[in-house]
mmCIF file of all heavy atoms in Angstrom:
data_model
loop_
_atom_site.group_PDB
_atom_site.id
_atom_site.type_symbol
_atom_site.label_atom_id
_atom_site.label_comp_id
_atom_site.label_asym_id
_atom_site.label_seq_id
_atom_site.Cartn_x
_atom_site.Cartn_y
_atom_site.Cartn_z
ATOM 1 N N VAL A 1 50.197 -23.347 25.675
ATOM 2 C CA VAL A 1 51.093 -22.534 24.873
ATOM 3 C C VAL A 1 52.532 -22.944 25.156
ATOM 4 O O VAL A 1 52.907 -23.178 26.303
ATOM 5 C CB VAL A 1 50.888 -21.034 25.190
ATOM 6 C CG1 VAL A 1 51.947 -20.191 24.523
ATOM 7 C CG2 VAL A 1 49.501 -20.587 24.775
ATOM 8 N N ILE A 2 53.317 -23.032 24.103
ATOM 9 C CA ILE A 2 54.730 -23.379 24.218
ATOM 10 C C ILE A 2 55.536 -22.093 24.131
ATOM 11 O O ILE A 2 55.314 -21.279 23.231
ATOM 12 C CB ILE A 2 55.149 -24.319 23.066
ATOM 13 C CG1 ILE A 2 54.267 -25.560 23.052
ATOM 14 C CG2 ILE A 2 56.623 -24.677 23.168
ATOM 15 C CD1 ILE A 2 54.286 -26.284 21.728
ATOM 16 N N HIS A 3 56.454 -21.900 25.053
ATOM 17 C CA HIS A 3 57.330 -20.737 24.980
ATOM 18 C C HIS A 3 58.490 -21.098 24.065
ATOM 19 O O HIS A 3 59.264 -22.004 24.368
ATOM 20 C CB HIS A 3 57.773 -20.301 26.383
ATOM 21 C CG HIS A 3 56.613 -19.807 27.185
ATOM 22 N ND1 HIS A 3 56.079 -18.548 27.032
ATOM 23 C CD2 HIS A 3 55.838 -20.423 28.099
ATOM 24 C CE1 HIS A 3 55.042 -18.408 27.822
ATOM 25 N NE2 HIS A 3 54.868 -19.538 28.489
ATOM 26 N N ILE A 4 58.567 -20.404 22.940
ATOM 27 C CA ILE A 4 59.542 -20.716 21.903
ATOM 28 C C ILE A 4 60.796 -19.867 22.094
ATOM 29 O O ILE A 4 60.713 -18.651 22.280
ATOM 30 C CB ILE A 4 58.944 -20.456 20.502
ATOM 31 C CG1 ILE A 4 57.666 -21.287 20.288
ATOM 32 C CG2 ILE A 4 59.972 -20.717 19.412
ATOM 33 C CD1 ILE A 4 57.850 -22.774 20.299
ATOM 34 N N ASP A 5 61.928 -20.533 22.029
ATOM 35 C CA ASP A 5 63.205 -19.824 22.034
ATOM 36 C C ASP A 5 64.103 -20.456 20.975
ATOM 37 O O ASP A 5 63.690 -21.400 20.290
ATOM 38 C CB ASP A 5 63.854 -19.844 23.427
ATOM 39 C CG ASP A 5 64.133 -21.241 23.936
ATOM 40 O OD1 ASP A 5 64.405 -22.155 23.127
ATOM 41 O OD2 ASP A 5 64.102 -21.439 25.164
ATOM 42 N N ARG A 6 65.304 -19.949 20.849
ATOM 43 C CA ARG A 6 66.163 -20.453 19.776
ATOM 44 C C ARG A 6 66.562 -21.912 20.002
ATOM 45 O O ARG A 6 66.887 -22.624 19.067
ATOM 46 C CB ARG A 6 67.382 -19.563 19.600
ATOM 47 C CG ARG A 6 68.346 -19.588 20.734
ATOM 48 C CD ARG A 6 69.585 -18.750 20.398
ATOM 49 N NE ARG A 6 70.607 -18.977 21.388
ATOM 50 C CZ ARG A 6 70.898 -18.152 22.370
ATOM 51 N NH1 ARG A 6 70.241 -17.016 22.477
ATOM 52 N NH2 ARG A 6 71.836 -18.443 23.233
ATOM 53 N N ASN A 7 66.496 -22.388 21.257
ATOM 54 C CA ASN A 7 66.875 -23.766 21.550
ATOM 55 C C ASN A 7 65.809 -24.783 21.151
ATOM 56 O O ASN A 7 66.137 -25.912 20.805
ATOM 57 C CB ASN A 7 67.199 -23.925 23.039
ATOM 58 C CG ASN A 7 68.389 -23.080 23.450
ATOM 59 O OD1 ASN A 7 69.365 -22.984 22.727
ATOM 60 N ND2 ASN A 7 68.277 -22.437 24.596
ATOM 61 N N ASN A 8 64.529 -24.404 21.218
ATOM 62 C CA ASN A 8 63.477 -25.363 20.881
ATOM 63 C C ASN A 8 62.759 -25.025 19.572
ATOM 64 O O ASN A 8 61.822 -25.713 19.190
ATOM 65 C CB ASN A 8 62.476 -25.511 22.032
ATOM 66 C CG ASN A 8 61.624 -24.274 22.268
ATOM 67 O OD1 ASN A 8 61.750 -23.252 21.592
ATOM 68 N ND2 ASN A 8 60.750 -24.355 23.263
ATOM 69 N N PHE A 9 63.188 -23.972 18.895
ATOM 70 C CA PHE A 9 62.496 -23.534 17.679
ATOM 71 C C PHE A 9 62.412 -24.639 16.625
ATOM 72 O O PHE A 9 61.352 -24.916 16.084
ATOM 73 C CB PHE A 9 63.179 -22.290 17.092
ATOM 74 C CG PHE A 9 62.535 -21.803 15.828
ATOM 75 C CD1 PHE A 9 61.352 -21.102 15.866
ATOM 76 C CD2 PHE A 9 63.104 -22.080 14.593
ATOM 77 C CE1 PHE A 9 60.732 -20.672 14.705
ATOM 78 C CE2 PHE A 9 62.504 -21.649 13.420
ATOM 79 C CZ PHE A 9 61.308 -20.950 13.482
ATOM 80 N N ALA A 10 63.521 -25.284 16.332
ATOM 81 C CA ALA A 10 63.524 -26.318 15.284
ATOM 82 C C ALA A 10 62.597 -27.470 15.650
ATOM 83 O O ALA A 10 61.759 -27.888 14.838
ATOM 84 C CB ALA A 10 64.938 -26.819 15.028
ATOM 85 N N SER A 11 62.699 -27.972 16.875
ATOM 86 C CA SER A 11 61.891 -29.134 17.251
ATOM 87 C C SER A 11 60.410 -28.791 17.396
ATOM 88 O O SER A 11 59.550 -29.572 16.993
ATOM 89 C CB SER A 11 62.411 -29.754 18.548
ATOM 90 O OG SER A 11 62.318 -28.842 19.619
ATOM 91 N N GLU A 12 60.092 -27.630 17.950
ATOM 92 C CA GLU A 12 58.696 -27.277 18.209
ATOM 93 C C GLU A 12 57.982 -26.653 17.002
ATOM 94 O O GLU A 12 56.763 -26.758 16.888
ATOM 95 C CB GLU A 12 58.596 -26.310 19.394
ATOM 96 C CG GLU A 12 59.083 -26.884 20.704
ATOM 97 C CD GLU A 12 58.171 -27.954 21.278
ATOM 98 O OE1 GLU A 12 57.085 -28.213 20.717
ATOM 99 O OE2 GLU A 12 58.553 -28.545 22.300
ATOM 100 N N VAL A 13 58.735 -25.986 16.135
ATOM 101 C CA VAL A 13 58.112 -25.256 15.022
ATOM 102 C C VAL A 13 58.454 -25.890 13.669
ATOM 103 O O VAL A 13 57.576 -26.338 12.946
ATOM 104 C CB VAL A 13 58.518 -23.767 15.043
ATOM 105 C CG1 VAL A 13 57.897 -23.023 13.867
ATOM 106 C CG2 VAL A 13 58.100 -23.122 16.358
ATOM 107 N N LEU A 14 59.715 -25.919 13.334
ATOM 108 C CA LEU A 14 60.118 -26.384 12.002
ATOM 109 C C LEU A 14 59.762 -27.846 11.758
ATOM 110 O O LEU A 14 59.384 -28.222 10.651
ATOM 111 C CB LEU A 14 61.618 -26.167 11.783
ATOM 112 C CG LEU A 14 62.081 -24.715 11.741
ATOM 113 C CD1 LEU A 14 63.588 -24.656 11.502
ATOM 114 C CD2 LEU A 14 61.334 -23.928 10.677
ATOM 115 N N HIS A 15 59.880 -28.682 12.785
ATOM 116 C CA HIS A 15 59.639 -30.117 12.617
ATOM 117 C C HIS A 15 58.283 -30.561 13.163
ATOM 118 O O HIS A 15 58.051 -31.759 13.329
ATOM 119 C CB HIS A 15 60.766 -30.916 13.274
ATOM 120 C CG HIS A 15 62.119 -30.574 12.738
ATOM 121 N ND1 HIS A 15 62.462 -30.717 11.413
ATOM 122 C CD2 HIS A 15 63.209 -30.063 13.345
ATOM 123 C CE1 HIS A 15 63.708 -30.320 11.226
ATOM 124 N NE2 HIS A 15 64.184 -29.903 12.393
ATOM 125 N N SER A 16 57.389 -29.610 13.389
ATOM 126 C CA SER A 16 56.063 -29.935 13.914
ATOM 127 C C SER A 16 55.236 -30.636 12.839
ATOM 128 O O SER A 16 55.263 -30.260 11.668
ATOM 129 C CB SER A 16 55.339 -28.662 14.357
ATOM 130 O OG SER A 16 54.011 -28.972 14.735
ATOM 131 N N ASP A 17 54.487 -31.649 13.268
ATOM 132 C CA ASP A 17 53.586 -32.340 12.339
ATOM 133 C C ASP A 17 52.234 -31.636 12.245
ATOM 134 O O ASP A 17 51.370 -32.049 11.491
ATOM 135 C CB ASP A 17 53.405 -33.802 12.761
ATOM 136 C CG ASP A 17 52.870 -33.932 14.180
ATOM 137 O OD1 ASP A 17 52.870 -32.931 14.923
ATOM 138 O OD2 ASP A 17 52.449 -35.044 14.547
ATOM 139 N N LYS A 18 52.059 -30.556 13.000
ATOM 140 C CA LYS A 18 50.824 -29.763 12.985
ATOM 141 C C LYS A 18 51.166 -28.329 12.588
ATOM 142 O O LYS A 18 52.301 -27.888 12.762
ATOM 143 C CB LYS A 18 50.184 -29.738 14.373
ATOM 144 C CG LYS A 18 49.775 -31.087 14.894
ATOM 145 C CD LYS A 18 49.221 -30.956 16.301
ATOM 146 C CE LYS A 18 48.835 -32.316 16.849
ATOM 147 N NZ LYS A 18 48.320 -32.219 18.221
ATOM 148 N N PRO A 19 50.183 -27.581 12.096
ATOM 149 C CA PRO A 19 50.413 -26.142 11.875
ATOM 150 C C PRO A 19 50.778 -25.487 13.210
ATOM 151 O O PRO A 19 50.327 -25.923 14.270
ATOM 152 C CB PRO A 19 49.064 -25.621 11.372
ATOM 153 C CG PRO A 19 48.323 -26.828 10.910
ATOM 154 C CD PRO A 19 48.827 -27.984 11.720
ATOM 155 N N VAL A 20 51.607 -24.448 13.142
ATOM 156 C CA VAL A 20 52.053 -23.746 14.347
ATOM 157 C C VAL A 20 51.669 -22.276 14.254
ATOM 158 O O VAL A 20 51.994 -21.608 13.268
ATOM 159 C CB VAL A 20 53.581 -23.867 14.525
ATOM 160 C CG1 VAL A 20 54.026 -23.154 15.799
ATOM 161 C CG2 VAL A 20 54.015 -25.329 14.556
ATOM 162 N N LEU A 21 50.974 -21.794 15.263
ATOM 163 C CA LEU A 21 50.651 -20.371 15.389
ATOM 164 C C LEU A 21 51.670 -19.768 16.338
ATOM 165 O O LEU A 21 51.777 -20.189 17.493
ATOM 166 C CB LEU A 21 49.234 -20.184 15.941
ATOM 167 C CG LEU A 21 48.826 -18.760 16.325
ATOM 168 C CD1 LEU A 21 48.839 -17.835 15.111
ATOM 169 C CD2 LEU A 21 47.458 -18.759 16.997
ATOM 170 N N LEU A 22 52.442 -18.803 15.841
ATOM 171 C CA LEU A 22 53.434 -18.119 16.667
ATOM 172 C C LEU A 22 52.964 -16.705 16.971
ATOM 173 O O LEU A 22 52.549 -15.982 16.066
ATOM 174 C CB LEU A 22 54.778 -18.045 15.938
ATOM 175 C CG LEU A 22 55.508 -19.354 15.718
ATOM 176 C CD1 LEU A 22 56.754 -19.110 14.866
ATOM 177 C CD2 LEU A 22 55.875 -19.994 17.033
ATOM 178 N N ASP A 23 53.053 -16.331 18.224
ATOM 179 C CA ASP A 23 52.719 -14.982 18.673
ATOM 180 C C ASP A 23 54.017 -14.306 19.098
ATOM 181 O O ASP A 23 54.623 -14.696 20.093
ATOM 182 C CB ASP A 23 51.743 -15.076 19.850
ATOM 183 C CG ASP A 23 51.440 -13.734 20.498
ATOM 184 O OD1 ASP A 23 51.661 -12.685 19.849
ATOM 185 O OD2 ASP A 23 50.968 -13.742 21.649
ATOM 186 N N PHE A 24 54.470 -13.329 18.307
ATOM 187 C CA PHE A 24 55.647 -12.533 18.663
ATOM 188 C C PHE A 24 55.154 -11.367 19.500
ATOM 189 O O PHE A 24 54.339 -10.568 19.032
ATOM 190 C CB PHE A 24 56.361 -12.040 17.400
ATOM 191 C CG PHE A 24 57.074 -13.134 16.663
ATOM 192 C CD1 PHE A 24 56.407 -13.921 15.743
ATOM 193 C CD2 PHE A 24 58.420 -13.379 16.893
ATOM 194 C CE1 PHE A 24 57.063 -14.932 15.059
ATOM 195 C CE2 PHE A 24 59.090 -14.386 16.220
ATOM 196 C CZ PHE A 24 58.409 -15.164 15.303
ATOM 197 N N TRP A 25 55.657 -11.239 20.737
ATOM 198 C CA TRP A 25 55.102 -10.297 21.705
ATOM 199 C C TRP A 25 56.193 -9.761 22.628
ATOM 200 O O TRP A 25 57.331 -10.217 22.594
ATOM 201 C CB TRP A 25 54.029 -10.995 22.540
ATOM 202 C CG TRP A 25 54.624 -12.017 23.465
ATOM 203 C CD1 TRP A 25 55.075 -13.265 23.117
ATOM 204 C CD2 TRP A 25 54.883 -11.873 24.856
ATOM 205 N NE1 TRP A 25 55.590 -13.906 24.220
ATOM 206 C CE2 TRP A 25 55.490 -13.073 25.302
ATOM 207 C CE3 TRP A 25 54.668 -10.848 25.765
ATOM 208 C CZ2 TRP A 25 55.874 -13.267 26.623
ATOM 209 C CZ3 TRP A 25 55.049 -11.052 27.081
ATOM 210 C CH2 TRP A 25 55.639 -12.252 27.498
ATOM 211 N N ALA A 26 55.799 -8.797 23.461
ATOM 212 C CA ALA A 26 56.659 -8.287 24.540
ATOM 213 C C ALA A 26 55.759 -7.882 25.699
ATOM 214 O O ALA A 26 54.610 -7.478 25.493
ATOM 215 C CB ALA A 26 57.493 -7.101 24.063
ATOM 216 N N SER A 27 56.298 -7.947 26.906
ATOM 217 C CA SER A 27 55.493 -7.677 28.102
ATOM 218 C C SER A 27 55.020 -6.227 28.182
ATOM 219 O O SER A 27 53.986 -5.943 28.774
ATOM 220 C CB SER A 27 56.279 -8.041 29.356
ATOM 221 O OG SER A 27 57.474 -7.289 29.410
ATOM 222 N N TRP A 28 55.755 -5.293 27.571
ATOM 223 C CA TRP A 28 55.409 -3.880 27.649
ATOM 224 C C TRP A 28 54.404 -3.454 26.575
ATOM 225 O O TRP A 28 53.974 -2.309 26.534
ATOM 226 C CB TRP A 28 56.675 -3.027 27.504
ATOM 227 C CG TRP A 28 57.543 -3.461 26.362
ATOM 228 C CD1 TRP A 28 58.636 -4.285 26.427
ATOM 229 C CD2 TRP A 28 57.390 -3.123 24.982
ATOM 230 N NE1 TRP A 28 59.165 -4.485 25.173
ATOM 231 C CE2 TRP A 28 58.426 -3.771 24.263
ATOM 232 C CE3 TRP A 28 56.490 -2.329 24.267
ATOM 233 C CZ2 TRP A 28 58.567 -3.667 22.878
ATOM 234 C CZ3 TRP A 28 56.630 -2.221 22.881
ATOM 235 C CH2 TRP A 28 57.663 -2.884 22.216
ATOM 236 N N CYS A 29 54.009 -4.371 25.708
ATOM 237 C CA CYS A 29 53.162 -4.064 24.541
ATOM 238 C C CYS A 29 51.680 -4.226 24.899
ATOM 239 O O CYS A 29 51.230 -5.337 25.153
ATOM 240 C CB CYS A 29 53.570 -4.999 23.405
ATOM 241 S SG CYS A 29 52.423 -5.068 22.026
ATOM 242 N N GLY A 30 50.938 -3.117 24.908
ATOM 243 C CA GLY A 30 49.508 -3.152 25.229
ATOM 244 C C GLY A 30 48.699 -4.057 24.310
ATOM 245 O O GLY A 30 47.938 -4.905 24.790
#
């Protein structure tokens, strides 16, 4: 799993040659 932040979003997600599954989450969320 890649930890996505605003610094790597373009390179890891927008310019990916593969489909990207993103999980938006928080540590306090059951």
Side-chain angles (χ1 to χ4, degrees):
V1 171
I2 304 161
H3 294 281
I4 302 296
D5 60 31
R6 68 175 190 258
N7 297 319
N8 69 359
F9 179 77
S11 62
E12 297 289 355
V13 179
L14 294 181
H15 303 301
S16 174
D17 58 347
K18 298 177 181 179
V20 181
L21 171 63
L22 292 175
D23 174 20
F24 288 86
W25 70 283
S27 59
W28 47 263
C29 166

